[in-house]
Amino acid sequence: MTITSLTGRRTPLVAHYHVTTPMFLGGADSNACADKIRLPSFKGVLRFWWRALNWGRIYQACQQDKNKALECLHREEGLLFGHGAGGEDKKGCQAAFRLRISGDTSRKGKTVIRGINYLLGQGLTSKNKPEGYLESGTDFIVTCYQGKGISENQLEQLEQALLCLGLLGGLGARSRKGLGSLSIQELSGGMHAAPRDKEEFIAAINRLLAGAHRVTAEPPYSAFSSQSRIDISAGKKSAMDLLCEYDGTLHGYRTWQTEKPNFEDDHDWAYSVANGKQVEVLPRRAVFGLPHNYFLSKAGEKVDVNASSGRRATPLLAHVHQFENGTCLLVQSLLRSDFLHDKETVNVSSGRASKTIQLPANVNWSVLHQFMNQFRERETIHGQ
């Protein structure tokens, strides 16, 4: 239901976000750090959460036909968010709403970030250099003005996407790893409100995902279904302490160089490839995303594991949520879906081997569930 003012004009949706963790957001020149929150970047992640939330509804409406559902989703997305010329009508379409960012207190970081070396070591920064990120602890407001032709259903979907982004998502590079987490503080102009504590957070997630259990097949892209899982993994710490806990747990789980390595078989697999031996399966850690490459120090050899399309983002999303009263939660969302499209393969190669091996994209999803289970205080609030 749309809220209308006394003048008969629709009240805009207004969402207040808090930047909970350091954000690595590219500017108009992608090689430089942005000075402020960029509207195109925000609209891009808003599209992502709209798709994630609406796949189940559209899939059911299309009698569980994936191809028809994808066509319908693309059409609905274009009508809401706008699209360029092309498609069936050969014409472009403006978005059914207009966004404006205000109250942006973003500031560039001036100190070296400590305690998350594993996350920062994945190509984000140079060692011991502070530049290139926006500090946490800042805020901005997004106002959504509805166009004349926007429907009640579209408006509700837009509000849900604004909320979901502020409960589970973030902005910028490595936002799926918990960097650039956005925590919604206030939401007005519609039927939803920002949660004020853990109990309200869980209730909000349950409302947003009320129909997800009806979708039993893996979605073709990152979206909610019966196979999704959301955990509150930790709490009772500051936002940065929770991100440090996530960093340490992820590093400890993924590395094989420990007293009790979890993935020694992956290490042996990489040496088999480097030595020219035939392999039939992917390394287990490939499920964390591609590329998944190895440098074998003893052999001085590199083994590359890439999707034929070049990249597959991790299906496991981390988010550090901060409520208005300052309390924080570490939240993880596993959005299980087709790991790669039907015609895609995983290409495995090394400098020593003379040819590239093509393997089917069969991954072990239990590896991600086992990682989520590493957090002793975890509480699963969606899925199993």
Side-chain angles (χ1 to χ4, degrees):
M1 178 180 177
T2 304
I3 296 177
T4 306
S5 69
L6 294 176
T7 63
R9 302 178 68 179
R10 283 175 166 175
T11 301
L13 295 170
V14 181
H16 172 195
Y17 295 97
H18 182 72
V19 179
T20 316
T21 55
M23 179 185 295
F24 291 81
L25 183 65
D29 175 2
S30 60
N31 294 322
C33 176
D35 294 316
K36 297 288 183 180
I37 302 298
R38 299 186 65 244
L39 192 57
S41 299
F42 182 87
K43 192 173 182 180
V45 294
L46 191 62
R47 278 180 180 260
F48 171 88
W49 290 107
W50 180 88
R51 295 188 200 110
L53 286 166
N54 285 279
W55 168 253
R57 172 183 61 82
I58 295 174
Y59 180 64
Q60 295 294 333
C62 292
Q63 286 75 50
Q64 302 184 4
D65 184 317
K66 279 190 178 182
N67 291 329
K68 288 183 179 179
L70 285 169
E71 291 176 4
C72 183
L73 180 123
H74 179 71
R75 186 163 52 250
E76 285 198 23
E77 180 181 351
L79 290 173
L80 180 58
F81 287 91
H83 62 80
E88 296 178 358
D89 58 5
K90 306 297 182 182
K91 297 179 181 179
C93 174
Q94 288 188 336
F97 62 93
R98 179 170 55 89
L99 292 178
R100 176 174 174 266
I101 292 177
S102 61
D104 186 355
T105 61
S106 296
R107 54 183 180 270
K108 287 189 176 181
K110 297 181 180 179
T111 60
V112 176
I113 303 173
R114 306 290 185 185
I116 53 172
N117 291 340
Y118 186 66
L119 297 178
L120 296 180
Q122 298 180 33
L124 283 181
T125 62
S126 300
K127 187 175 181 180
N128 296 324
K129 289 188 177 181
E131 72 271 16
Y133 72 95
L134 297 177
E135 290 184 350
S136 59
T138 60
D139 298 83
F140 65 97
I141 295 170
V142 174
T143 304
C144 174
Y145 299 96
Q146 301 97 38
K148 292 181 180 179
I150 194 169
S151 69
E152 294 290 341
N153 287 336
Q154 287 177 315
L155 189 59
E156 182 179 3
Q157 294 164 17
L158 185 59
E159 183 186 7
Q160 290 173 342
L162 288 166
L163 178 60
C164 196
L165 166 57
L167 298 179
L168 301 176
L171 190 59
R174 300 296 190 275
S175 60
R176 293 193 178 207
K177 298 292 187 183
L179 292 164
S181 291
L182 298 181
S183 300
I184 193 161
Q185 306 293 290
E186 296 180 27
L187 182 60
S188 61
M191 303 305 296
H192 293 271
R196 295 168 294 181
D197 53 34
K198 178 181 175 181
E199 288 69 30
E200 291 187 3
F201 182 96
I202 295 172
I205 293 295
N206 288 334
R207 284 193 298 272
L208 287 172
L209 306 184
H213 66 281
R214 300 189 187 98
V215 183
T216 57
E218 285 188 359
Y221 63 89
S222 297
F224 295 108
S225 71
S226 64
Q227 301 191 52
S228 305
R229 173 180 169 182
I230 301 177
D231 281 12
I232 294 177
S233 300
K236 301 179 181 179
K237 294 181 180 179
S238 70
M240 203 61 198
D241 284 345
L242 287 173
L243 190 62
C244 290
E245 180 179 351
Y246 172 72
D247 176 278
T249 306
L250 182 64
H251 186 206
Y253 181 74
R254 292 192 61 171
T255 185
W256 73 276
Q257 294 177 322
T258 60
E259 293 182 4
K260 296 181 179 180
N262 290 319
F263 299 101
E264 193 169 7
D265 54 330
D266 281 5
H267 179 259
D268 295 340
W269 177 94
Y271 268 99
S272 294
V273 173
N275 291 327
K277 296 181 180 179
Q278 182 65 33
V279 293
E280 304 294 338
V281 297
L282 293 174
R284 288 190 292 143
R285 284 173 296 178
V287 72
F288 276 99
L290 301 174
H292 174 67
N293 301 327
Y294 294 81
F295 179 74
L296 306 174
S297 55
K298 291 184 179 180
E301 188 72 26
K302 185 179 179 182
V303 175
D304 296 323
V305 185
N306 295 289
S308 57
S309 59
R311 186 174 182 271
R312 204 295 185 186
T314 180
L316 183 63
L317 287 67
H319 168 86
V320 179
H321 193 83
Q322 182 169 324
F323 297 106
E324 194 173 14
N325 63 9
T327 60
C328 300
L329 301 173
L330 172 62
V331 184
Q332 293 191 82
S333 305
L334 174 56
L335 300 185
R336 179 170 173 172
S337 63
D338 293 342
F339 193 71
L340 293 178
H341 297 306
D342 291 341
K343 296 182 180 179
E344 288 187 272
T345 59
V346 180
N347 297 335
V348 179
S349 61
S350 71
R352 188 182 302 173
S354 59
K355 64 178 182 178
T356 297
I357 303 170
Q358 291 187 329
L359 295 175
N362 299 325
V363 294
N364 185 350
W365 291 97
S366 68
V367 169
L368 298 182
H369 285 282
Q370 289 167 10
F371 171 69
M372 297 175 78
N373 293 343
Q374 301 296 303
F375 295 84
R376 296 181 179 180
E377 298 179 1
R378 70 185 181 280
E379 180 181 351
T380 300
I381 62 174
H382 171 73
Q384 298 179 351

